Amino acid sequence: MTRCDVCGTESELEGVFFTTSRVLAAKSKTYCPACWEERWRQEGHSSFRRLFFAAGLGLVAALFLPSVFAGWMLLNFVLFEASILLATLPHELGHAVAARALGVRVFRIVIGFGRLLWMGRFLGFEVELRNIPIGGTTQTGFHDVRFFRLKNALVVAAGPLVNAVAITVVLAWVPSAMIWEPSPFADLTPWAAFVVANALILIVNLAPIRRLETDGWSLLTSPFIGREAIDRSLAVSYVREGLEARRHARHEDALRWYEEGLVRFPRDHELRLGRVGALIDLARYDLAREELVQLAESGAIDLQTKTIVSNNLAWADVMTRRQDLLEEADRHSEDAFKQAGWFPEIQSTRGAVLVEKGRLDEGIELLEKALPQVEEVQDRAAIAGYLALAENRRGNRDAAERYAKTAIALHRGGRQTERLLAEMDPENDLSSSSGEPPRGS
């Protein structure tokens, strides 16, 4: 049993908690995923505040006390930090462009980690910006084993290559005097900041660090990738295709991707859970329950997968609207909540079960806690729909209608949110649209 030193949450799940290393005499600290993200969020905000303060202070000093070197040092420090952030996107674009050129599927480019701030398209690629702007990743998918190792190595190498090319171009075309002669103590040094930032990213990424799974480590191990690892990569590609289809409310397509993947990899638990999620999206609850019960009783799943299975089984039970399954839903949602109660998807399932058991205040509290944390639009629509149903049962009509309007605004053409709103009030035209919560991912 691992315990979070911040909030006291305990779990038997392995590898999901984070422990900071000892620094000098400082004591190491263990964080649950929610507290770990909050720690980085606060540090990210603090870093931005420090950068803005340094930029402001440096600008004032450079304007009014130009002979004082501290102002220029602060401005150049901010410039260097900005250059590192700006150099991350071209690095990831290098991976993405190489993948597309080699026929490898590119799902998205993610800059930073944590909660989603912005999502859009750039140069034909879907790009996500997260609230903690440290590092980045390019999500790709292989559907073919031919030349797998070579293609993987080329895609990995393309990121650092972009940084190397950027450095080379600047050194070749910008006069060296413009790059190196300006003193960081008496002037701005944008070219030097650009070169040094790209060099730092290049060096860090090419360092073969296994724990960080750097590009250097991937390049070093790429020739030795075994068939089992290749098969796993192919299975993950089907999972990502299914998730992508579900994200865009193409639920039949999602089901097709999962089932195609299961033809090739019938024992892959992620594909089976993805298929369950697609079945739930399509309101085929009995088939979803059948698959989940088989997984739960198989004895061949680890505790983390069992927790996901319990959560999804509870949600399927609730959505059948069968009273004889409510106790089963309560048992499974409670088990999942005990193991991973920080996940908003698990909070929302537990909240829905509590609402069905008549514990409205507790259920609404969990649903309201989960709503702002969930990224997927379909999930938020379903949570808002359940909040509308719960508030209506509590007699709070204004809140019920507010949540119902939120659910309708978020819906993506599915069935489950419509069902919840119709149950809230069959005569109310607020239930004329729909949305759905994907489960199983």
Side-chain angles (χ1 to χ4, degrees), residues 12-59:
E12 295 177 305
L13 297 179
E14 296 181 0
V16 298
F17 279 51
F18 301 87
T19 301
T20 56
S21 301
R22 293 176 179 269
V23 180
L24 298 180
K27 183 181 178 181
S28 61
K29 202 169 187 178
T30 299
Y31 297 82
C32 69
C35 291
W36 181 254
E37 181 178 334
E38 179 63 19
R39 173 180 181 263
W40 276 104
R41 187 189 66 82
Q42 291 179 1
E43 289 192 6
H45 288 175
S46 298
S47 296
F48 274 118
R49 285 194 294 267
R50 287 194 294 267
L51 284 176
F52 279 116
F53 178 77
L57 185 61
L59 184 60

Side-chain angles (χ1 to χ4, degrees), residues 74-87:
L74 286 172
L75 287 176
N76 282 304
F77 171 74
V78 173
L79 195 61
F80 174 70
E81 291 288 335
S83 297
I84 289 180
L85 293 178
L86 292 175

